[in-house]
């Protein structure tokens, strides 16, 4: 039994599951987040953020901090509802985690670990991405959360899923909540039934866990009923994974010379709903499939004209390369161009919010990982151009020798690779 499981067992004894308050006394591991750093006035991260979901919290400490300072007068929203409403990129989980852990709001969190624990506790066997299941899990999390120690409770519940109620090898016998777990109860019932049969008793225990064939939006689907060989890992069930849809986006790193000679970039804010809601990005627009480079440049030049309110020549757009970013449901390829502008450019105030930023400001802004990759591609291009300008033959040879990758080792897409081939 792992250390966390031992701590969980010691800390949680005979809890009434209907309230599950005792789970909050499970001691979080030392690597649990130090979310106090999110409190107003903090200027740098104060702890570690293990796991992908905590990366969103880490984002809060960089781009989100800027947003709080510049747009909310330094006042950090303190409730899950306000966090989600006022800070771009903060979803339901992140808002719940910050509000409960940092500000003591009695609100639940539902992440992958919590989904697994709750589905097993209540034998929820329907597709966990369905609205009915999602709503049910959030209702449960909000009901169960300990009113006096919500942050500890939420961390303990996540920790229970990460260390005891694991996806493939749950430690049910050591689990502090097994008395309340319907999935475990079902396994025990089957074991009892099997041993009765062994001793010649044929009384079969009726199955009372499922609501019956069809109809229930939470039970195991009739077509895929309980499988005894899986035990508690019958739960949760996931929908068959869909192939991510393929999308293309033209993006332009629009640049001007700043006051001190360093480049400044134009970034614009995405709409407040949908993918990457409210985050900042280089001016971008979706591309219809199959457009050739000249056609891409034309639509991009039109798009840029709307931002800069001045004519943009397609021939001044310089192709940088393609940057691939995989979202959970989208295979996104950014076709990246750059454009350097002379002099000052008046931005169209009627359009979505936009601003010029230095490289440092860009990195501190609420920008997506994909946009950071785009900027990196631009910097790589700049490095290659300056190497070219110096006429370093050795550099050119090494670049050609490394066809298929950029000087920084970043992988090129197939189309970009083919474009990078030198003429015969
Ligand atoms: Fe998970 Fe087993 Fe504990 Fe149930 S008893 S919550 S399935 S570890």
């Amino acid at each position: 039994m792992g250390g966390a499981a031992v701590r969980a067992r010691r800390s949680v004894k005979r809890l009434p599951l209907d309230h599950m308050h005792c789970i909050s006394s499970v001691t979080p591991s030392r690597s649990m987040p130090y979310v106090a750093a999110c409190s107003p006035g903090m200027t740098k991260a104060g702890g570690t953020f293990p796991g992908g979901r905590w990366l969103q919290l880490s984002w809060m400490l960089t781009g989100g901090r800027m947003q709080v300072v510049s747009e909310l007068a330094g006042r950090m929203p303190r409730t899950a509802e306000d966090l989600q409403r006022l800070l771009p990129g903060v979803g339901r989980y992140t808002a719940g985690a910050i509000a409960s852990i940092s500000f003591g709001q009695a609100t639940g969190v539902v992440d992958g670990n919590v989904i697994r624990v709750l589905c097993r506790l209540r034998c929820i066997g329907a597709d966990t991405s369905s609205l009915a299941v999602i709503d049910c899990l959030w209702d449960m999390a909000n009901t169960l959360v300990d009113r006096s120690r919500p942050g500890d409770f939420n961390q303990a519940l996540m920790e229970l899923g990460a260390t005891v109620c694991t996806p493939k090898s749950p430690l049910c016998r050591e689990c502090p909540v097994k008395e309340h777990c319907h999935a475990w109860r079902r396994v025990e019932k089957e074991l009892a039934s099997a041993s009765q049969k062994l001793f010649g008793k044929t009384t079969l225990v009726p199955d009372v866990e499922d609501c019956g064939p069809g109809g229930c939006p939470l039970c195991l689907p009739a077509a895929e009923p309980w499988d005894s060989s899986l035990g508690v890992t019958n739960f949760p069930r996931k929908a068959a994974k869909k192939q991510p849809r393929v999308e293309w986006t033209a993006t332009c790193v629009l640049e001007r010379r700043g006051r001190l000679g360093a480049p400044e970039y134009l970034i614009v804010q995405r709409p407040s709903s949908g993918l990457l809601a409210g985050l900042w990005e280089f001016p971008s627009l979706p591309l219809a499939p199959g457009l050739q480079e000249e056609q891409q440049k034309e639509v991009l030049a039109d798009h840029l004209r709307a931002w800069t309110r001045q004519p943009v020549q397609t021939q001044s757009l310089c192709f940088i390369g393609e940057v691939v970013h995989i979202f959970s449901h989208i295979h996104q390829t950014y076709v990246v161009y750059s454009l350097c502008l002379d002099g000052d450019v008046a931005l169209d105030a009627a359009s979505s919010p936009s601003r010029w930023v230095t490289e440092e400001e860009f990195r501190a802004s609420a920008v997506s990982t994909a946009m950071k990759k785009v900027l990196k591609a631009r910097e790589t291009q700049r490095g290659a151009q300056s190497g070219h300008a110096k006429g370093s033959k050795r550099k050119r040879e090494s670049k050609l020798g490394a066809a298929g990758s950029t000087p920084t080792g970043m992988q090129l897409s197939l189309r970009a690779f083919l474009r990078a081939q030198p003429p015969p």
Side-chain angles (χ1 to χ4, degrees), residues 62 160-161 208 244 256 302 326 328 332 353 361 368 395:
T62 52
L160 184 73
V208 293
R256 71 175 186 186
D302 271 350
I326 313 284
S328 57
Q332 179 69 262
E361 287 164 345
S368 65
K395 277 191 178 176

Side-chain angles (χ1 to χ4, degrees), residues 97-388:
I98 295 173
S100 62
I101 299 170
S102 204
F103 299 121
Q105 186 191 6
T107 186
V109 296
V110 174
D111 72 347
N113 287 319
V114 174
I115 288 173
R116 189 166 53 254
V117 173
L118 295 182
C119 282
R120 288 174 180 171
L121 284 172
R122 285 296 173 261
C123 281
I124 295 174
D127 168 13
T128 52
S129 62
S130 72
L131 198 58
V133 173
I134 292 170
D135 284 348
C136 172
L137 294 173
W138 275 99
D139 284 349
M140 282 171 75
N142 285 328
T143 305
L144 293 172
V145 67
D146 187 326
R147 265 55 200 161
S148 57
R149 296 173 64 193
D152 287 347
F153 177 92
N154 286 335
Q155 291 183 82
L157 193 54
M158 291 187 276
E159 184 87 342
L160 184 73
T163 59
V164 180
C165 194
T166 57
K168 291 191 179 147
S169 315
L171 304 168
C172 293
R173 291 185 190 286
E174 287 88 32
C175 177
V177 297
K178 64 175 180 292
E179 290 91 349
H180 311 282
C181 179
H182 288 194
W184 174 241
R185 207 179 291 166
R186 186 162 181 167
V187 169
E188 283 196 311
K189 234 187 258 177
E190 285 200 342
L191 290 174
S193 171
S195 67
Q196 278 187 338
K197 270 197 218 159
L198 204 63
F199 291 108
K201 296 182 188 166
T202 50
T203 358
L204 287 176
V205 181
D207 180 4
V208 293
E209 301 295 354
D210 286 335
C211 295
C216 177
L218 301 177
C219 279
L220 285 167
E224 298 168 67
W226 169 269
D227 176 350
S228 299
S229 67
L230 296 177
V232 298
T233 63
N234 270 284
F235 309 99
R237 290 280 170 89
K238 285 187 186 153
K241 213 172 174 193
K242 285 190 204 146
Q243 283 296 317
R245 64 175 191 269
V246 175
E247 287 186 3
W248 294 78
T249 294
T251 296
C252 184
V253 182
L254 196 57
E255 224 175 283
R256 71 175 186 186
R257 198 120 314 268
R259 267 166 295 158
L260 300 174
E264 287 183 347
Y265 304 101
L266 178 69
I267 56 173
V268 301
Q269 193 169 28
R270 289 182 62 84
S272 57
S273 59
L275 182 72
L276 306 174
L279 295 188
W280 293 79
E281 64 181 11
F282 295 114
S284 305
L285 87 162
L287 285 175
L291 286 189
Q292 298 302 308
E293 185 171 329
E294 274 317 302
Q295 296 166 305
Q296 291 178 0
K297 284 183 173 180
E298 277 166 25
V299 290
L300 187 56
D302 271 350
H303 185 65
L304 295 174
R305 244 171 252 139
W307 285 108
T308 59
R309 297 196 297 178
Q310 64 179 40
V312 174
Q313 305 301 326
T314 53
Q315 57 272 30
S316 16
L317 286 167
C318 176
F319 175 74
I320 294 181
E322 288 172 1
V323 169
V324 174
H325 189 76
I326 313 284
F327 298 96
S328 57
H329 56 304
I330 300 173
H331 185 288
Q332 179 69 262
T333 302
Y334 293 93
V335 186
V336 185
Y337 292 87
S338 65
L339 176 63
C340 296
L341 296 174
D342 292 327
D344 203 12
V345 179
L347 298 174
D348 185 359
S351 304
S352 305
S354 57
R355 61 181 200 244
W356 289 99
V357 290
T358 62
E359 185 187 331
E360 197 184 4
E361 287 164 345
F362 174 87
R363 296 195 187 287
S365 298
V367 292
S368 65
T369 306
M371 286 301 122
K372 288 178 185 160
K373 288 187 195 173
V374 167
L375 182 61
K376 191 171 177 190
R378 168 63 183 134
E379 286 167 348
T380 302
Q381 181 207 38
R382 203 198 315 275
Q385 282 172 339
S386 72
H388 186 76

